[in-house]
Amino acid sequence: MSKTPQKIDIVLVFHGIGTPPADCLEADLPYWVQEEKFLRTLDIAKERGDTLITFDDGLQSDVRIAMPALIERGLPGVFFPLTGMLGKPGYLTREELKSLADHGMVVGTHGHMHLDWAKVPRELREKDIQDSLEIIEEILGTPCKEAAFPFGSFDRRVLASLKKFGIEKAYSCSRGKTNLANFLIHRTSIREVTDLDWMFQSLDKEKGIQKIKRGVKRFLRAHLPPF
Ligand SMILES: [Zn+2]
């Protein structure tokens, strides 16, 4: 059962926070966000009350920086570790993963080996999902019901595989406003270059447009005869 509040309609995703390790892949560098920017995002999220923060890959900054900052602000967090990386340098240990859950954070899966689930054969995808779920459930002692697609990549076959293993919420990286009551949840990825004010403004604009559309629909339903 998710512990996240229901009025949330913006979900953000972070990866590493702080200084990237010396051997960080060049492709991953833009996703490392400085601690100051991360903390500012949390302060905005706390003030807005409509924003959920999530974390992919299971990096050590999850437990060293993110968890204490979330607890300090009374904010929930959802963490998606790669189970194949647990205990490797720079990644969470099994004990640290357990500690996230013990502190009230939600733990989902991001797979075992960071495979692109939409690009590998079904057997490989489902083995990756199953392996990761077994490890998380063994560590936490509770069922894992949430997943974030590696690389944000998915199609209907990926969704079917996740449902088969009892996943109730699947998080993409397709930005925009979202609804936590849905199976598929959109997330907006935060990078070091992200302009936070601009990002929240554009998400608010999107919310405003959707509100107008809903209003127009309601008006038409009330005023037009059914065809
Ligand atoms: Zn990832």
Side-chain angles (χ1 to χ4, degrees):
M1 179 65 99
S2 172
K3 296 166 189 139
T4 49
Q6 289 306 303
K7 63 172 180 169
I8 296 285
D9 56 12
I10 294 174
V11 183
L12 305 179
V13 52
F14 282 91
H15 294 77
I17 302 152
T19 311
D23 60 351
C24 182
L25 294 174
E26 196 151 334
D28 293 341
L29 278 175
Y31 292 95
W32 276 82
V33 172
Q34 289 303 306
E35 188 170 347
E36 195 189 355
K37 184 178 197 127
F38 169 69
L39 297 178
R40 190 166 157 245
T41 315
L42 291 198
D43 289 337
I44 297 172
K46 169 91 183 156
E47 175 138 355
R48 294 177 61 98
D50 63 353
T51 304
L52 175 68
I53 314 284
T54 71
F55 303 85
D56 280 6
D57 296 347
L59 295 156
Q60 284 247 296
S61 53
D62 284 1
V63 81
R64 295 200 178 154
I65 300 174
M67 184 173 80
L70 288 165
I71 291 171
E72 199 185 316
R73 290 162 180 79
L75 289 169
V78 189
F79 293 78
F80 297 101
L82 284 166
T83 50
M85 299 306 283
L86 291 172
K88 301 242 166 82
Y91 290 85
L92 297 172
T93 63
R94 294 167 77 98
E95 293 72 29
E96 286 169 336
L97 188 66
K98 177 80 167 69
S99 160
L100 285 172
D102 289 346
H103 283 86
M105 304 294 155
V106 175
V107 175
T109 179
H110 195 47
H112 189 63
M113 296 303 292
H114 216 230
L115 301 178
D116 184 335
W117 289 337
K119 289 201 178 130
V120 295
R122 182 173 63 86
E123 295 72 31
L124 209 53
R125 171 171 67 246
E126 296 193 349
K127 186 180 183 323
D128 191 71
I129 294 168
Q130 189 172 21
D131 286 351
S132 72
L133 290 177
E134 281 175 8
I135 292 170
I136 291 171
E137 290 174 5
E138 182 200 315
I139 294 171
L140 304 188
T142 52
C144 173
K145 298 285 184 193
E146 309 200 2
F149 315 116
F151 313 103
S153 171
F154 70 99
D155 58 17
R156 59 185 173 77
R157 294 166 308 163
V158 172
L159 300 181
S161 293
L162 289 172
K163 284 182 181 167
K164 184 172 156 183
F165 287 99
I167 294 296
E168 292 172 355
K169 287 181 197 294
Y171 294 71
S172 76
C173 293
S174 326
R175 64 170 303 286
K177 181 188 176 291
T178 196
N179 184 346
L180 279 194
N182 293 344
F183 178 75
L184 183 60
I185 294 165
H186 306 301
R187 299 184 299 174
T188 302
S189 192
I190 306 289
R191 299 188 301 158
E192 183 54 25
V193 295
T194 302
D195 178 331
L196 293 175
D197 296 329
W198 180 86
M199 181 197 73
F200 279 112
Q201 272 167 26
S202 65
L203 288 167
D204 282 340
K205 213 179 278 174
E206 197 185 318
K207 283 198 204 182
I209 290 167
Q210 290 196 347
K211 211 169 162 185
I212 292 168
K213 277 188 185 163
R214 277 200 302 273
V216 170
K217 258 191 206 162
R218 262 199 306 273
F219 177 85
L220 292 176
R221 260 202 310 272
H223 294 88
L224 288 181
F227 291 104

